[in-house]
Amino acid sequence: METVTMSTPDIAEVDQFRCRVDEIFQKIDKLEKKVNEVEQFYLNANKKKKSSSKGNSIREEQDKGRHVPSIKKQQQDASQRESTAAKRMQELMRQFGTILRQISQHKWAWPFMQPVDVKGLGLHDYYKVIEKPMDLGTIKNQMEAKDGTGYKNVRAICADVRLVFDNAMKYNEEGSDVHLMAKTLLEKFEEKWQLLLPKVTEEEKRREEEEAEAQLNIQLVREASHAKRVQAISNELYEVDTHLEQLRETVVQKCSCLSIDRKMSTKDKRNLGTAVARLSTEDLNKALEIIAQSNPGLQAMAEEVEIDIDAQSESTLWRLNFFVKDVFEGRDKSTAGNNKKKRKKGICDAIAQTVKKKSKKPSS
């Protein structure tokens, strides 16, 4: 095939094409990262939906047509929701404080109002038996704490009150005065606690529903945001596709212009015809598509197609020539890679056989 010498303007033009192609590939890399991020988001979202599928059908019906609040509105709602919930919890803690005060005023409550005087009473094994000491006075102080270290919910206070009496019954033998006093006060506490428990349960359920609602709104906002990203990615892909099509048309025009000065020789046409005949079925169909672009009447997908190389335009011949060249260069690289792998495998097998033989050789 004849050698083509390009002038300086031609080289500059090729460099421009190369730069444009590089820019397009950079855009494609960025788009691929964005697509992966969006894909990962929806994969995680689907996993969450599957893990919480129980009762989802009802909720999905409720969510249809739901208004998705903005991030700012969600933040405002969250702040207001927390403030309202805190007030409700304060009211529950106030009612619990009434129960604690009633227990503390009982005539048998005095042993439990202060921490156990372990040293003064000579209770050397107390901390071996009791892992977490607790008393009603400490509970009262923690309920009234204003520095943020106090109780956050009523159930935590309830657990500590039970701990006071459980510790006393655990350390003092059954039948002793302290054991009996602790058991009696614990029973009275449980009676009063059962009256308050329905309100506590209702509040916990309400907070759980509010939290689920908030999480759902956050998820909807994220989905809306990713939907916008998907639309933006779609627009960018269309733009890249347009740029590629424009670049292709420009290259085709340049090839057509080049063919005016460069006629393909008879020898090159014969070599091209031979090369086309050696193409695989898949590559041959692609070659026919190239020819069909300049020959609208050609049925590229017909079972039998006769190609007359001499009848093709110069631009078609050169485009076909570039395509065939790329195909066979790709095959050569693939074959070279496979041969290299085979040689490497052969060397490894030989080494393995040598090692195996040496390992079987008896030691002297």
Side-chain angles (χ1 to χ4, degrees), residues 33-45 218-234:
K33 290 180 181 179
K34 292 180 180 179
V35 169
N36 289 336
E37 289 173 1
V38 172
E39 184 180 31
Q40 191 61 46
F41 169 80
Y42 282 109
L43 284 173
N44 292 336
I218 291 173
Q219 180 68 15
L220 290 173
V221 168
R222 287 175 179 170
E223 289 181 2
S225 174
H226 279 78
K228 290 181 180 179
R229 289 190 68 186
V230 170
Q231 183 60 46
I233 291 172
S234 178

PDB file of all heavy atoms in Angstrom, residues 33-45 218-234:
ATOM      1  N   LYS A  33     -18.719   7.407  36.098  1.00  0.00           N
ATOM      2  CA  LYS A  33     -18.689   7.506  37.563  1.00  0.00           C
ATOM      3  C   LYS A  33     -20.054   7.930  38.095  1.00  0.00           C
ATOM      4  O   LYS A  33     -20.543   7.395  39.088  1.00  0.00           O
ATOM      5  CB  LYS A  33     -17.620   8.511  37.994  1.00  0.00           C
ATOM      6  CG  LYS A  33     -16.198   8.034  37.766  1.00  0.00           C
ATOM      7  CD  LYS A  33     -15.184   9.083  38.208  1.00  0.00           C
ATOM      8  CE  LYS A  33     -13.760   8.599  37.951  1.00  0.00           C
ATOM      9  NZ  LYS A  33     -12.762   9.620  38.348  1.00  0.00           N
ATOM     10  N   LYS A  34     -20.672   8.908  37.417  1.00  0.00           N
ATOM     11  CA  LYS A  34     -21.993   9.370  37.849  1.00  0.00           C
ATOM     12  C   LYS A  34     -23.025   8.254  37.742  1.00  0.00           C
ATOM     13  O   LYS A  34     -23.856   8.076  38.637  1.00  0.00           O
ATOM     14  CB  LYS A  34     -22.433  10.579  37.002  1.00  0.00           C
ATOM     15  CG  LYS A  34     -21.618  11.834  37.233  1.00  0.00           C
ATOM     16  CD  LYS A  34     -22.119  12.963  36.350  1.00  0.00           C
ATOM     17  CE  LYS A  34     -21.302  14.240  36.560  1.00  0.00           C
ATOM     18  NZ  LYS A  34     -21.773  15.334  35.675  1.00  0.00           N
ATOM     19  N   VAL A  35     -22.964   7.514  36.639  1.00  0.00           N
ATOM     20  CA  VAL A  35     -23.906   6.402  36.443  1.00  0.00           C
ATOM     21  C   VAL A  35     -23.729   5.355  37.540  1.00  0.00           C
ATOM     22  O   VAL A  35     -24.701   4.832  38.089  1.00  0.00           O
ATOM     23  CB  VAL A  35     -23.719   5.771  35.055  1.00  0.00           C
ATOM     24  CG1 VAL A  35     -24.494   4.461  34.940  1.00  0.00           C
ATOM     25  CG2 VAL A  35     -24.189   6.735  33.961  1.00  0.00           C
ATOM     26  N   ASN A  36     -22.467   5.052  37.881  1.00  0.00           N
ATOM     27  CA  ASN A  36     -22.191   4.067  38.934  1.00  0.00           C
ATOM     28  C   ASN A  36     -22.740   4.526  40.276  1.00  0.00           C
ATOM     29  O   ASN A  36     -23.267   3.733  41.055  1.00  0.00           O
ATOM     30  CB  ASN A  36     -20.686   3.814  39.039  1.00  0.00           C
ATOM     31  CG  ASN A  36     -20.144   3.036  37.854  1.00  0.00           C
ATOM     32  OD1 ASN A  36     -20.888   2.324  37.190  1.00  0.00           O
ATOM     33  ND2 ASN A  36     -18.864   3.172  37.577  1.00  0.00           N
ATOM     34  N   GLU A  37     -22.597   5.829  40.583  1.00  0.00           N
ATOM     35  CA  GLU A  37     -23.099   6.372  41.842  1.00  0.00           C
ATOM     36  C   GLU A  37     -24.620   6.253  41.916  1.00  0.00           C
ATOM     37  O   GLU A  37     -25.181   5.846  42.936  1.00  0.00           O
ATOM     38  CB  GLU A  37     -22.676   7.836  41.991  1.00  0.00           C
ATOM     39  CG  GLU A  37     -21.182   8.012  42.251  1.00  0.00           C
ATOM     40  CD  GLU A  37     -20.771   9.469  42.225  1.00  0.00           C
ATOM     41  OE1 GLU A  37     -21.662  10.339  42.030  1.00  0.00           O
ATOM     42  OE2 GLU A  37     -19.568   9.755  42.395  1.00  0.00           O
ATOM     43  N   VAL A  38     -25.279   6.629  40.830  1.00  0.00           N
ATOM     44  CA  VAL A  38     -26.744   6.546  40.791  1.00  0.00           C
ATOM     45  C   VAL A  38     -27.197   5.091  40.883  1.00  0.00           C
ATOM     46  O   VAL A  38     -28.151   4.768  41.608  1.00  0.00           O
ATOM     47  CB  VAL A  38     -27.287   7.197  39.494  1.00  0.00           C
ATOM     48  CG1 VAL A  38     -28.779   6.945  39.354  1.00  0.00           C
ATOM     49  CG2 VAL A  38     -27.010   8.700  39.506  1.00  0.00           C
ATOM     50  N   GLU A  39     -26.497   4.218  40.151  1.00  0.00           N
ATOM     51  CA  GLU A  39     -26.847   2.792  40.180  1.00  0.00           C
ATOM     52  C   GLU A  39     -26.697   2.227  41.592  1.00  0.00           C
ATOM     53  O   GLU A  39     -27.557   1.473  42.065  1.00  0.00           O
ATOM     54  CB  GLU A  39     -25.945   2.029  39.213  1.00  0.00           C
ATOM     55  CG  GLU A  39     -26.298   0.544  39.090  1.00  0.00           C
ATOM     56  CD  GLU A  39     -25.370  -0.173  38.129  1.00  0.00           C
ATOM     57  OE1 GLU A  39     -24.198   0.223  38.030  1.00  0.00           O
ATOM     58  OE2 GLU A  39     -25.825  -1.131  37.495  1.00  0.00           O
ATOM     59  N   GLN A  40     -25.621   2.608  42.281  1.00  0.00           N
ATOM     60  CA  GLN A  40     -25.397   2.128  43.646  1.00  0.00           C
ATOM     61  C   GLN A  40     -26.481   2.632  44.588  1.00  0.00           C
ATOM     62  O   GLN A  40     -26.937   1.902  45.477  1.00  0.00           O
ATOM     63  CB  GLN A  40     -24.011   2.593  44.137  1.00  0.00           C
ATOM     64  CG  GLN A  40     -23.563   1.946  45.436  1.00  0.00           C
ATOM     65  CD  GLN A  40     -23.452   0.444  45.320  1.00  0.00           C
ATOM     66  OE1 GLN A  40     -22.891  -0.069  44.367  1.00  0.00           O
ATOM     67  NE2 GLN A  40     -23.976  -0.278  46.296  1.00  0.00           N
ATOM     68  N   PHE A  41     -26.905   3.882  44.388  1.00  0.00           N
ATOM     69  CA  PHE A  41     -27.964   4.455  45.232  1.00  0.00           C
ATOM     70  C   PHE A  41     -29.245   3.641  45.100  1.00  0.00           C
ATOM     71  O   PHE A  41     -29.864   3.267  46.103  1.00  0.00           O
ATOM     72  CB  PHE A  41     -28.220   5.903  44.821  1.00  0.00           C
ATOM     73  CG  PHE A  41     -29.464   6.487  45.451  1.00  0.00           C
ATOM     74  CD1 PHE A  41     -29.457   6.950  46.757  1.00  0.00           C
ATOM     75  CD2 PHE A  41     -30.657   6.550  44.736  1.00  0.00           C
ATOM     76  CE1 PHE A  41     -30.605   7.457  47.344  1.00  0.00           C
ATOM     77  CE2 PHE A  41     -31.816   7.069  45.308  1.00  0.00           C
ATOM     78  CZ  PHE A  41     -31.773   7.523  46.625  1.00  0.00           C
ATOM     79  N   TYR A  42     -29.633   3.344  43.863  1.00  0.00           N
ATOM     80  CA  TYR A  42     -30.888   2.609  43.660  1.00  0.00           C
ATOM     81  C   TYR A  42     -30.770   1.149  44.099  1.00  0.00           C
ATOM     82  O   TYR A  42     -31.747   0.558  44.550  1.00  0.00           O
ATOM     83  CB  TYR A  42     -31.315   2.703  42.194  1.00  0.00           C
ATOM     84  CG  TYR A  42     -31.941   4.036  41.866  1.00  0.00           C
ATOM     85  CD1 TYR A  42     -31.283   4.972  41.067  1.00  0.00           C
ATOM     86  CD2 TYR A  42     -33.185   4.381  42.381  1.00  0.00           C
ATOM     87  CE1 TYR A  42     -31.851   6.205  40.783  1.00  0.00           C
ATOM     88  CE2 TYR A  42     -33.761   5.610  42.106  1.00  0.00           C
ATOM     89  CZ  TYR A  42     -33.096   6.514  41.308  1.00  0.00           C
ATOM     90  OH  TYR A  42     -33.659   7.739  41.037  1.00  0.00           O
ATOM     91  N   LEU A  43     -29.568   0.564  43.990  1.00  0.00           N
ATOM     92  CA  LEU A  43     -29.374  -0.790  44.501  1.00  0.00           C
ATOM     93  C   LEU A  43     -29.568  -0.832  46.010  1.00  0.00           C
ATOM     94  O   LEU A  43     -30.243  -1.711  46.549  1.00  0.00           O
ATOM     95  CB  LEU A  43     -27.962  -1.285  44.152  1.00  0.00           C
ATOM     96  CG  LEU A  43     -27.726  -1.725  42.701  1.00  0.00           C
ATOM     97  CD1 LEU A  43     -26.252  -2.034  42.469  1.00  0.00           C
ATOM     98  CD2 LEU A  43     -28.571  -2.951  42.363  1.00  0.00           C
ATOM     99  N   ASN A  44     -28.978   0.154  46.709  1.00  0.00           N
ATOM    100  CA  ASN A  44     -29.131   0.223  48.166  1.00  0.00           C
ATOM    101  C   ASN A  44     -30.578   0.500  48.548  1.00  0.00           C
ATOM    102  O   ASN A  44     -31.092  -0.062  49.522  1.00  0.00           O
ATOM    103  CB  ASN A  44     -28.228   1.316  48.738  1.00  0.00           C
ATOM    104  CG  ASN A  44     -26.755   0.972  48.604  1.00  0.00           C
ATOM    105  OD1 ASN A  44     -26.400  -0.198  48.511  1.00  0.00           O
ATOM    106  ND2 ASN A  44     -25.899   1.976  48.586  1.00  0.00           N
ATOM    107  N   ALA A  45     -31.240   1.368  47.768  1.00  0.00           N
ATOM    108  CA  ALA A  45     -32.640   1.693  48.056  1.00  0.00           C
ATOM    109  C   ALA A  45     -33.521   0.466  47.903  1.00  0.00           C
ATOM    110  O   ALA A  45     -34.417   0.218  48.717  1.00  0.00           O
ATOM    111  CB  ALA A  45     -33.112   2.819  47.120  1.00  0.00           C
ATOM    112  N   ILE A 218     -36.805  11.910  53.807  1.00  0.00           N
ATOM    113  CA  ILE A 218     -35.409  12.043  53.406  1.00  0.00           C
ATOM    114  C   ILE A 218     -35.129  11.167  52.190  1.00  0.00           C
ATOM    115  O   ILE A 218     -34.464  11.592  51.236  1.00  0.00           O
ATOM    116  CB  ILE A 218     -34.479  11.657  54.577  1.00  0.00           C
ATOM    117  CG1 ILE A 218     -34.577  12.693  55.688  1.00  0.00           C
ATOM    118  CG2 ILE A 218     -33.030  11.521  54.100  1.00  0.00           C
ATOM    119  CD1 ILE A 218     -33.828  12.318  56.945  1.00  0.00           C
ATOM    120  N   GLN A 219     -35.655   9.940  52.220  1.00  0.00           N
ATOM    121  CA  GLN A 219     -35.463   9.028  51.098  1.00  0.00           C
ATOM    122  C   GLN A 219     -36.098   9.572  49.821  1.00  0.00           C
ATOM    123  O   GLN A 219     -35.516   9.478  48.732  1.00  0.00           O
ATOM    124  CB  GLN A 219     -36.051   7.646  51.440  1.00  0.00           C
ATOM    125  CG  GLN A 219     -35.902   6.604  50.351  1.00  0.00           C
ATOM    126  CD  GLN A 219     -34.459   6.191  50.124  1.00  0.00           C
ATOM    127  OE1 GLN A 219     -33.603   6.474  50.958  1.00  0.00           O
ATOM    128  NE2 GLN A 219     -34.185   5.544  49.008  1.00  0.00           N
ATOM    129  N   LEU A 220     -37.293  10.160  49.958  1.00  0.00           N
ATOM    130  CA  LEU A 220     -37.970  10.721  48.787  1.00  0.00           C
ATOM    131  C   LEU A 220     -37.188  11.895  48.198  1.00  0.00           C
ATOM    132  O   LEU A 220     -37.102  12.052  46.980  1.00  0.00           O
ATOM    133  CB  LEU A 220     -39.384  11.172  49.180  1.00  0.00           C
ATOM    134  CG  LEU A 220     -40.381  10.042  49.486  1.00  0.00           C
ATOM    135  CD1 LEU A 220     -41.685  10.625  50.018  1.00  0.00           C
ATOM    136  CD2 LEU A 220     -40.640   9.196  48.254  1.00  0.00           C
ATOM    137  N   VAL A 221     -36.619  12.700  49.076  1.00  0.00           N
ATOM    138  CA  VAL A 221     -35.809  13.838  48.607  1.00  0.00           C
ATOM    139  C   VAL A 221     -34.576  13.325  47.862  1.00  0.00           C
ATOM    140  O   VAL A 221     -34.205  13.844  46.803  1.00  0.00           O
ATOM    141  CB  VAL A 221     -35.393  14.735  49.793  1.00  0.00           C
ATOM    142  CG1 VAL A 221     -34.327  15.728  49.365  1.00  0.00           C
ATOM    143  CG2 VAL A 221     -36.598  15.483  50.333  1.00  0.00           C
ATOM    144  N   ARG A 222     -33.951  12.287  48.428  1.00  0.00           N
ATOM    145  CA  ARG A 222     -32.769  11.716  47.764  1.00  0.00           C
ATOM    146  C   ARG A 222     -33.128  11.119  46.416  1.00  0.00           C
ATOM    147  O   ARG A 222     -32.391  11.281  45.438  1.00  0.00           O
ATOM    148  CB  ARG A 222     -32.150  10.644  48.664  1.00  0.00           C
ATOM    149  CG  ARG A 222     -31.429  11.205  49.884  1.00  0.00           C
ATOM    150  CD  ARG A 222     -30.945  10.096  50.793  1.00  0.00           C
ATOM    151  NE  ARG A 222     -30.244  10.613  51.958  1.00  0.00           N
ATOM    152  CZ  ARG A 222     -29.884   9.882  52.995  1.00  0.00           C
ATOM    153  NH1 ARG A 222     -30.188   8.595  53.019  1.00  0.00           N
ATOM    154  NH2 ARG A 222     -29.247  10.423  54.013  1.00  0.00           N
ATOM    155  N   GLU A 223     -34.270  10.438  46.355  1.00  0.00           N
ATOM    156  CA  GLU A 223     -34.701   9.848  45.086  1.00  0.00           C
ATOM    157  C   GLU A 223     -35.001  10.926  44.054  1.00  0.00           C
ATOM    158  O   GLU A 223     -34.675  10.774  42.875  1.00  0.00           O
ATOM    159  CB  GLU A 223     -35.922   8.963  45.312  1.00  0.00           C
ATOM    160  CG  GLU A 223     -35.620   7.666  46.049  1.00  0.00           C
ATOM    161  CD  GLU A 223     -36.843   6.795  46.233  1.00  0.00           C
ATOM    162  OE1 GLU A 223     -37.927   7.188  45.751  1.00  0.00           O
ATOM    163  OE2 GLU A 223     -36.731   5.713  46.854  1.00  0.00           O
ATOM    164  N   ALA A 224     -35.627  12.021  44.513  1.00  0.00           N
ATOM    165  CA  ALA A 224     -35.914  13.124  43.598  1.00  0.00           C
ATOM    166  C   ALA A 224     -34.617  13.741  43.080  1.00  0.00           C
ATOM    167  O   ALA A 224     -34.488  14.072  41.898  1.00  0.00           O
ATOM    168  CB  ALA A 224     -36.760  14.180  44.311  1.00  0.00           C
ATOM    169  N   SER A 225     -33.639  13.871  43.987  1.00  0.00           N
ATOM    170  CA  SER A 225     -32.345  14.424  43.603  1.00  0.00           C
ATOM    171  C   SER A 225     -31.647  13.538  42.586  1.00  0.00           C
ATOM    172  O   SER A 225     -31.091  14.017  41.590  1.00  0.00           O
ATOM    173  CB  SER A 225     -31.469  14.583  44.853  1.00  0.00           C
ATOM    174  OG  SER A 225     -30.158  14.984  44.504  1.00  0.00           O
ATOM    175  N   HIS A 226     -31.696  12.204  42.818  1.00  0.00           N
ATOM    176  CA  HIS A 226     -31.054  11.289  41.890  1.00  0.00           C
ATOM    177  C   HIS A 226     -31.819  11.203  40.565  1.00  0.00           C
ATOM    178  O   HIS A 226     -31.209  10.942  39.518  1.00  0.00           O
ATOM    179  CB  HIS A 226     -30.917   9.903  42.522  1.00  0.00           C
ATOM    180  CG  HIS A 226     -29.746   9.785  43.445  1.00  0.00           C
ATOM    181  ND1 HIS A 226     -29.754  10.291  44.729  1.00  0.00           N
ATOM    182  CD2 HIS A 226     -28.508   9.249  43.259  1.00  0.00           C
ATOM    183  CE1 HIS A 226     -28.591  10.048  45.296  1.00  0.00           C
ATOM    184  NE2 HIS A 226     -27.825   9.422  44.435  1.00  0.00           N
ATOM    185  N   ALA A 227     -33.113  11.419  40.615  1.00  0.00           N
ATOM    186  CA  ALA A 227     -33.889  11.452  39.367  1.00  0.00           C
ATOM    187  C   ALA A 227     -33.425  12.627  38.498  1.00  0.00           C
ATOM    188  O   ALA A 227     -33.306  12.503  37.273  1.00  0.00           O
ATOM    189  CB  ALA A 227     -35.377  11.567  39.683  1.00  0.00           C
ATOM    190  N   LYS A 228     -33.151  13.755  39.158  1.00  0.00           N
ATOM    191  CA  LYS A 228     -32.631  14.923  38.425  1.00  0.00           C
ATOM    192  C   LYS A 228     -31.246  14.609  37.855  1.00  0.00           C
ATOM    193  O   LYS A 228     -30.914  15.022  36.740  1.00  0.00           O
ATOM    194  CB  LYS A 228     -32.557  16.129  39.350  1.00  0.00           C
ATOM    195  CG  LYS A 228     -33.916  16.688  39.745  1.00  0.00           C
ATOM    196  CD  LYS A 228     -33.770  17.907  40.642  1.00  0.00           C
ATOM    197  CE  LYS A 228     -35.133  18.463  41.039  1.00  0.00           C
ATOM    198  NZ  LYS A 228     -35.018  19.639  41.938  1.00  0.00           N
ATOM    199  N   ARG A 229     -30.433  13.879  38.643  1.00  0.00           N
ATOM    200  CA  ARG A 229     -29.102  13.509  38.168  1.00  0.00           C
ATOM    201  C   ARG A 229     -29.205  12.591  36.948  1.00  0.00           C
ATOM    202  O   ARG A 229     -28.427  12.722  35.996  1.00  0.00           O
ATOM    203  CB  ARG A 229     -28.315  12.803  39.270  1.00  0.00           C
ATOM    204  CG  ARG A 229     -27.877  13.704  40.408  1.00  0.00           C
ATOM    205  CD  ARG A 229     -26.907  12.988  41.328  1.00  0.00           C
ATOM    206  NE  ARG A 229     -25.646  12.746  40.660  1.00  0.00           N
ATOM    207  CZ  ARG A 229     -24.652  12.047  41.184  1.00  0.00           C
ATOM    208  NH1 ARG A 229     -24.802  11.489  42.366  1.00  0.00           N
ATOM    209  NH2 ARG A 229     -23.529  11.872  40.538  1.00  0.00           N
ATOM    210  N   VAL A 230     -30.167  11.663  36.999  1.00  0.00           N
ATOM    211  CA  VAL A 230     -30.366  10.754  35.863  1.00  0.00           C
ATOM    212  C   VAL A 230     -30.724  11.549  34.610  1.00  0.00           C
ATOM    213  O   VAL A 230     -30.210  11.282  33.516  1.00  0.00           O
ATOM    214  CB  VAL A 230     -31.472   9.728  36.185  1.00  0.00           C
ATOM    215  CG1 VAL A 230     -31.855   8.956  34.922  1.00  0.00           C
ATOM    216  CG2 VAL A 230     -31.002   8.762  37.263  1.00  0.00           C
ATOM    217  N   GLN A 231     -31.598  12.547  34.770  1.00  0.00           N
ATOM    218  CA  GLN A 231     -31.991  13.375  33.631  1.00  0.00           C
ATOM    219  C   GLN A 231     -30.801  14.157  33.094  1.00  0.00           C
ATOM    220  O   GLN A 231     -30.602  14.262  31.870  1.00  0.00           O
ATOM    221  CB  GLN A 231     -33.103  14.346  34.057  1.00  0.00           C
ATOM    222  CG  GLN A 231     -33.643  15.211  32.925  1.00  0.00           C
ATOM    223  CD  GLN A 231     -34.251  14.394  31.797  1.00  0.00           C
ATOM    224  OE1 GLN A 231     -35.016  13.480  32.052  1.00  0.00           O
ATOM    225  NE2 GLN A 231     -33.889  14.705  30.558  1.00  0.00           N
ATOM    226  N   ALA A 232     -29.988  14.684  34.025  1.00  0.00           N
ATOM    227  CA  ALA A 232     -28.806  15.442  33.614  1.00  0.00           C
ATOM    228  C   ALA A 232     -27.815  14.541  32.884  1.00  0.00           C
ATOM    229  O   ALA A 232     -27.222  14.927  31.862  1.00  0.00           O
ATOM    230  CB  ALA A 232     -28.140  16.077  34.835  1.00  0.00           C
ATOM    231  N   ILE A 233     -27.625  13.311  33.394  1.00  0.00           N
ATOM    232  CA  ILE A 233     -26.724  12.359  32.751  1.00  0.00           C
ATOM    233  C   ILE A 233     -27.230  12.004  31.356  1.00  0.00           C
ATOM    234  O   ILE A 233     -26.460  11.907  30.396  1.00  0.00           O
ATOM    235  CB  ILE A 233     -26.590  11.084  33.616  1.00  0.00           C
ATOM    236  CG1 ILE A 233     -25.821  11.399  34.897  1.00  0.00           C
ATOM    237  CG2 ILE A 233     -25.883   9.976  32.838  1.00  0.00           C
ATOM    238  CD1 ILE A 233     -25.811  10.260  35.894  1.00  0.00           C
ATOM    239  N   SER A 234     -28.554  11.831  31.238  1.00  0.00           N
ATOM    240  CA  SER A 234     -29.149  11.523  29.940  1.00  0.00           C
ATOM    241  C   SER A 234     -28.876  12.644  28.934  1.00  0.00           C
ATOM    242  O   SER A 234     -28.529  12.392  27.777  1.00  0.00           O
ATOM    243  CB  SER A 234     -30.661  11.309  30.100  1.00  0.00           C
ATOM    244  OG  SER A 234     -31.263  11.067  28.853  1.00  0.00           O
TER     245      SER A 234
END
